[in-house]
Amino acid sequence: MLFSPNKLNPKNSLRIRNSTRSRVSAKSKFPTIFDDFSPNPGGQTEFLELAGWANSNPLEHRWTAAIGGINSGKSFAGAIWSVTRALLDPEARGMITANDYGQLSRASLVTLVEVCRMFSIPLEPYRESIEDQALAIANCQRCYIGSQKAFVYVISANNFTGKTQAGRGLQIRWVWADEYAYAPEQAFLTIDGRLGRGPGELKGQGIVTTSPAGYNYLYWKFGDPTRTENLQELYKMATLSSLENIHSGADYVQSLKANYTDELYLQEIEGKFINTSIGLVYKYFSRSIHVLNGEDAKILDYERSLPLMLTFDFNHSPIVCLAAQKRGKEIHFFKEWSIMDSDIWELTDKIVDWVQSEGLPPEIQIFGDATGRARTAASRLSSWDIVFQGFNPLLSERGGGYLVKKFADINPNVINRVHSFNQCFQKKLIYVHPSCKNFIKDLEQVTWDDNNNINKKINPQLSHLSDAAGYLVHCIYPFKPELAIPKKGKLSGIAG
């Protein structure tokens, strides 16, 4: 059970209750940290200024991220920011969290203890050694910062995931989330929903200090230059390079360079978001090559004079479909449908509306999951039956034969389907419109699990669009033809 404070701290002596709610100078009250601390030039300075570390003025954005390399000073900056929040508004409850207990107890909290001792700031519970004090705080799941004992929750990410979320009812004004590129998105979203609540005057504000971990959810919130204006207003970030840390020796940086590949150097030293190939299913997909932008993307737009290819993967949430067209040898994916908590009827309604608004093509080719042929005891209609019934409005306009069945009787072997996809990426036969954001996420984030299967547990919303696309790609450019199941009394050959 998480600890909850049963007593509010003394009233914040820093607040001046007038019509403008102005504040006294932070430097006049806490000279040792506000006057004596100077951030490293570059990313650390940019991050702390974005996060408003030296005052309590409300920021227009809600989250600030320090995305940095190893020993770039990101966690130190996170500890500085957390301490200043506690000093500026000790009534406000805060929280320090990390991706797991080990990170919290052996790294994040060690840095917090070091910062407090460096600037003579009281921190409880107290232990003689830095490491023992960090461990004591982690085990207590709370700490008190400053002479007015500002209350701070100390909780790892696993308390915000799963069916039993022990941290779901918290009320906090600020949060420092350390190494959250390696925490589930569910934890981040739950914390965001608790931010800006409870006693205190600080506006709800959060920071993330982390190494990047490929194009995961933090990239889509903080780093993607094509993200929506709303996301750009809410999420700001600075990049911290390990080379900027003036306290690191030259031999340290050189040793790191010697031990990393070029791509891992960009991620682990420069703090860059990159598409690392380690564990990725679609390791030959490259955003810079296979996603066309600007004027180049216009070549991928729907052309009603060409056959339209639709490919499905049947799942409840999300249920998905991709639209593509073949130009010469190239396959161009240009539209996606990904609907949560839905069904095939709603999906086909949306597709029919879109086709009728954009103009009917000469024919529609249907690809997808062969298991959709199965019927259940609860329904006499298979998934494919519902698809074709849903497309009746199109058949009524063009007649029989307009919908061309392209899906197989059995699905291809998963490994072969992935090989088909990857060989097409290598040969530059597949291009994707930038509006297919969820499909692009799939291609950049879907990984193998420990049993060499596609991992569908880390993020259940992933893999469905890339599965759907894989059925189409394998049908057109099969890496390896599948052996058909022999019919009784007959020999089977190779199914082309």
Side-chain angles (χ1 to χ4, degrees):
M1 179 180 294
L2 295 177
F3 178 88
S4 296
N6 55 19
K7 183 179 179 181
L8 295 181
N9 290 304
K11 291 184 177 180
N12 187 352
S13 61
L14 295 182
R15 292 204 308 276
I16 300 177
R17 289 176 170 82
N18 57 23
S19 59
T20 61
R21 295 169 71 184
S22 61
R23 296 179 183 269
V24 299
S25 166
K27 291 185 177 182
S28 67
K29 297 292 291 184
F30 309 107
T32 57
I33 189 167
F34 289 99
D35 286 341
D36 294 350
F37 171 68
S38 295
N40 290 328
Q44 192 181 73
T45 295
E46 181 186 359
F47 163 70
L48 286 171
E49 289 179 352
L50 275 174
W53 77 278
N55 58 67
S56 56
N57 297 334
L59 303 176
E60 293 184 0
H61 58 282
R62 185 170 175 84
W63 285 88
T64 312
I67 309 298
I70 296 172
N71 199 39
S72 61
K74 56 188 183 295
S75 294
F76 191 87
I80 289 286
W81 184 87
S82 299
V83 168
T84 60
R85 298 310 90 192
L87 296 178
L88 288 168
D89 191 354
E91 277 189 23
R93 296 179 195 137
M95 184 169 72
I96 298 173
T97 179
N99 57 308
D100 59 30
Y101 175 83
Q103 173 70 29
L104 198 57
S105 61
R106 294 191 291 269
S108 311
L109 293 174
V110 167
T111 305
L112 177 72
V113 175
E114 289 173 342
V115 165
C116 287
R117 294 191 181 192
M118 186 179 298
F119 296 102
S120 302
I121 297 168
L123 176 64
E124 298 177 7
Y126 179 79
R127 298 291 186 275
E128 189 68 28
S129 75
I130 291 175
E131 295 77 13
D132 285 346
Q133 187 173 8
L135 186 60
I137 292 171
N139 289 337
C140 288
Q141 295 186 303
R142 65 191 185 275
C143 68
Y144 303 89
I145 299 176
S147 59
Q148 296 191 59
K149 296 188 176 182
F151 181 90
V152 181
Y153 290 104
V154 178
I155 310 170
S156 59
N158 65 295
N159 286 281
F160 302 98
T161 60
K163 295 181 179 179
T164 304
Q165 297 185 24
R168 194 169 185 85
L170 302 184
Q171 294 185 339
I172 55 174
R173 286 281 167 181
W174 59 265
V175 60
W176 167 30
D178 197 29
E179 294 299 346
Y180 253 56
Y182 301 92
E185 183 178 11
Q186 182 186 1
F188 180 90
L189 295 175
T190 301
I191 291 170
D192 186 53
R194 313 313 304 168
L195 195 54
R197 301 186 181 191
E201 297 295 324
L202 289 174
K203 179 184 177 182
Q205 199 72 37
I207 64 167
V208 176
T209 59
T210 186
S211 301
Y215 291 120
N216 66 357
Y217 74 95
L218 288 185
Y219 171 80
W220 296 100
K221 293 182 186 298
F222 290 95
D224 179 16
T226 67
R227 66 194 189 280
T228 64
E229 289 185 7
N230 185 45
L231 290 178
Q232 293 186 44
E233 291 172 357
L234 290 172
Y235 302 98
K236 305 290 184 181
M237 65 164 277
T239 301
L240 284 66
S241 169
S242 304
L243 306 178
E244 294 175 346
N245 191 339
I246 58 177
H247 305 289
S248 296
D251 57 337
Y252 174 78
V253 175
Q254 290 300 321
S255 68
L256 293 177
K257 286 182 178 180
N259 288 305
Y260 286 121
T261 62
D262 289 344
E263 65 173 15
L264 283 180
Y265 177 84
L266 290 174
Q267 175 174 284
E268 301 297 333
I269 306 301
E270 295 290 346
K272 303 291 187 182
F273 286 109
I274 62 167
N275 190 21
T276 61
S277 60
I278 298 174
L280 288 178
V281 173
Y282 305 107
K283 60 188 294 184
Y284 296 105
F285 170 78
S286 170
R287 173 189 293 260
S288 62
I289 295 173
H290 301 109
V291 178
L292 302 185
N293 291 286
E295 289 295 317
D296 292 337
K298 291 183 178 179
I299 194 175
L300 306 179
D301 289 343
Y302 173 60
E303 190 174 335
R304 59 186 297 181
S305 63
L306 296 176
L308 172 64
M309 300 187 293
L310 297 173
T311 184
F312 295 81
D313 185 55
F314 300 113
N315 192 60
H316 169 63
S317 190
I319 187 165
V320 303
C321 177
L322 280 163
Q325 290 184 304
K326 193 166 181 283
R327 293 180 175 91
K329 292 184 177 182
E330 296 175 0
I331 301 172
H332 296 170
F333 291 96
F334 61 88
K335 185 169 180 61
E336 66 177 33
W337 290 268
S338 180
I339 311 173
M340 300 298 293
D341 299 314
S342 184
D343 54 36
I344 304 171
W345 295 111
E346 181 182 2
L347 177 62
T348 54
D349 283 346
K350 290 183 178 294
I351 296 171
V352 168
D353 288 345
W354 177 82
V355 172
Q356 290 177 331
S357 67
E358 296 295 322
L360 273 66
E363 71 176 20
I364 298 178
Q365 300 172 2
I366 308 295
F367 301 80
D369 184 358
T371 62
R373 300 164 61 92
R375 294 178 175 85
T376 67
S379 174
R380 299 177 63 182
L381 296 176
S382 71
S383 296
W384 283 121
D385 291 335
I386 298 173
V387 168
F388 283 95
Q389 285 194 19
F391 285 161
N392 274 337
L394 302 179
L395 288 174
S396 65
E397 294 187 44
R398 288 298 178 93
Y402 184 59
L403 301 178
V404 181
K405 170 188 168 297
K406 291 286 188 176
F407 55 89
D409 291 334
I410 58 171
N411 280 332
N413 176 277
V414 172
I415 298 295
N416 288 347
R417 170 163 57 84
V418 169
H419 286 336
S420 299
F421 225 152
N422 279 328
Q423 76 170 355
C424 286
F425 284 133
Q426 285 184 300
K427 295 178 180 179
K428 298 180 182 178
L429 295 176
I430 297 175
Y431 293 93
V432 182
H433 195 280
S435 64
C436 299
K437 293 184 177 295
N438 292 302
F439 181 35
I440 295 169
K441 284 184 184 180
D442 258 32
L443 297 174
E444 291 179 331
Q445 297 183 28
V446 173
T447 58
W448 298 109
D449 65 16
D450 293 338
N451 297 316
N452 291 322
N453 297 313
I454 291 178
N455 196 324
K456 297 179 180 287
K457 293 183 178 180
I458 293 180
N459 185 344
Q461 295 181 28
L462 289 179
S463 80
H464 306 295
L465 282 163
S466 54
D467 285 349
Y471 298 128
L472 183 153
V473 171
H474 183 83
C475 183
I476 297 173
Y477 293 117
F479 174 78
K480 181 180 180 181
E482 299 298 317
L483 290 175
I485 297 176
K487 295 182 180 180
K488 191 173 183 179
K490 293 185 179 180
L491 294 176
S492 62
I494 301 296

